[in-house]
Structures are given as C-alpha cells and as structure tokens.
Amino acid sequence: MGDELSSADHLPIVETRRWASEGDTAAFACALAAVIRAEPALGEIFIALHGDLGAGKTTLTRHLLRALGVTGRIKSPTYTVVEPHQGAGGLTIHHFDFYRFNDPREWDDAGLRDLFAGPGLKLAEWPDNAAGRIPIADLAIKMEAMNDESRSVTIQAASARGQKLLAAASA
Ligand SMILES: Nc1ncnc2c1ncn2[C@@H]1O[C@H](COP(=O)(O)OP(=O)(O)OP(=O)(O)O)[C@@H](O)[C@H]1O
Ligand SMILES: [Mg+2]
C-alpha cells in the first residue's frame, strides 16, 4: 500500500489553461520568476516549451528572463541553438532552440550535454528535435495559438520540483 502511495506521488500533474492575451502569458512568467527568486533551489529546473511556430515560446521565455532579472537583449536562439543568460542572484540560465538541430554530434561537440548536466535554469524550444538526448523535463508547457492573442496551454509537471514550482506559481 505504501508503494501505491509513493507512485501516486510521482504521477505527473497535467493542467490546462487559457491565456487570453500576452499579458496573461507575462503574468504566468512573472509568477514562476517570483517563486524562483524566493526559493532559488526551484530555479534548478528544466522547462520544455512545445508549440508551433509563433505559439509564443520565445515570448514566454523573454517575460520569464526579464522577471528573473536578465538585462539587455534576449535573442531568440533559433540560429545559435543556445543563448546563455544570467539572472539576479547569479542564476545561470540557458535558453535552447532545437528547431534547426539536425546534427546529433553537435550534442557533444557544442557542449550541449554538459549544459544540461550543469547548474541553473534550462528552457528549450522544439525539444522533440533533440529527443533521446535531452532529459525529461521537470515542467513541459505546450502553447497553442487560438485566435489573436489567445493561447490554449497545457502544463505538465513530471518531477517533484516541477510540481512544487507549478503549485507555488499558481497559488
Ligand atoms: N498570449 C500570447 N502569448 C505569447 N505570445 C503572444 C501572445 N499573443 C500574441 N503573441 C505574439 O505571438 C508571437 C509569438 O512569437 P514567438 O517568437 O514567441 O513564438 P515561438 O513559439 O517562439 O515561435 P518559434 O517556434 O518560431 O520560435 C509574438 O509576436 C507575441 O507578441
Ligand atoms: Mg521561438
């Protein structure tokens, strides 16, 4: 019976939401950032961002990074695969975009494996293009554009840390 309980503890939590505007996307990003700033251990996390071209993955990331204290330009890593940032309090952040990732050797050669094994916050757009290499996400966020600025969003928290961050950001 104890076993059943502990496995239930680790079932992923899946939530669906509707963000009516970019303001709602920004509000969610700010809520995540507030939790991470209050409890830096929750910033040691991998967030996978799913969704079609223009769904809002980079936009969500920009709002999150700003709220984490990143200053300066936040470039989309579409061409570079990864962009490094530093947040307030020295938080290391790596923003990945695997849209153009098609050479698996790059995983080791460009040090991507080391970045995922290293400390800090990792965010990845188009994670499925690195399937089999990229670790399982603590939080997986899927954004789907509806009309205009509205987004249908599915959030899956697959680890204890992801669940804690999501619960605290939603409180
Ligand atoms: N609710 C919303 N959330 C996020 N972005 C929105 C929203 N409403 C409108 N937008 C706009 O949609 C666009 C999303 O573009 P963005 O570059 O973030 O998409 P993406 O998912 O990163 O695409 P790609 O796969 O090409 O990298 C931006 O111009 C943003 O201002
Ligand atoms: Mg993008």
Side-chain angles (χ1 to χ4, degrees):
M1 256 169 72
D3 286 341
E4 276 170 41
L5 257 183
S6 64
S7 63
D9 278 348
H10 292 90
L11 282 178
I13 290 176
V14 181
E15 289 184 9
T16 55
R17 301 184 182 192
R18 174 68 69 108
W19 294 338
S21 67
E22 191 176 325
D24 282 356
T25 302
F28 176 74
C30 287
L32 284 183
V35 174
I36 291 171
R37 290 182 81 149
E39 199 170 338
L42 293 180
E44 300 292 323
I45 206 159
F46 168 37
I47 302 177
L49 299 167
H50 300 268
D52 288 340
L53 292 167
K57 304 176 294 295
T58 302
T59 301
L60 171 64
T61 302
R62 285 197 175 109
H63 285 294
L64 176 61
L65 267 49
R66 282 277 175 257
L68 285 170
V70 173
T71 55
R73 186 152 174 251
I74 299 172
K75 265 175 50 183
S76 171
T78 309
Y79 297 98
T80 52
V81 183
V82 59
E83 289 288 337
H85 299 281
Q86 196 166 47
L91 176 66
T92 299
I93 303 166
H94 286 96
H95 177 197
F96 302 84
D97 185 336
F98 293 106
Y99 187 68
R100 286 163 191 280
F101 181 77
N102 50 21
D103 180 359
R105 282 172 305 179
E106 207 181 336
W107 186 257
D108 290 321
D109 294 352
L112 300 177
R113 179 194 300 279
D114 297 335
L115 294 180
F116 271 97
L121 170 65
K122 297 109 190 169
L123 293 136
E125 302 183 37
W126 297 100
D128 293 345
N129 288 2
R133 294 187 167 73
I134 205 165
I136 293 170
D138 297 287
L139 268 189
I141 301 176
K142 181 170 186 195
M143 301 176 70
E144 201 181 335
M146 306 310 282
N147 47 33
D148 302 333
E149 286 204 42
S150 178
R151 298 292 186 269
S152 170
V153 184
T154 308
I155 305 174
Q156 179 167 329
S159 70
R161 193 172 293 178
Q163 291 178 6
K164 207 172 163 194
L165 176 60
L166 181 62
S170 308

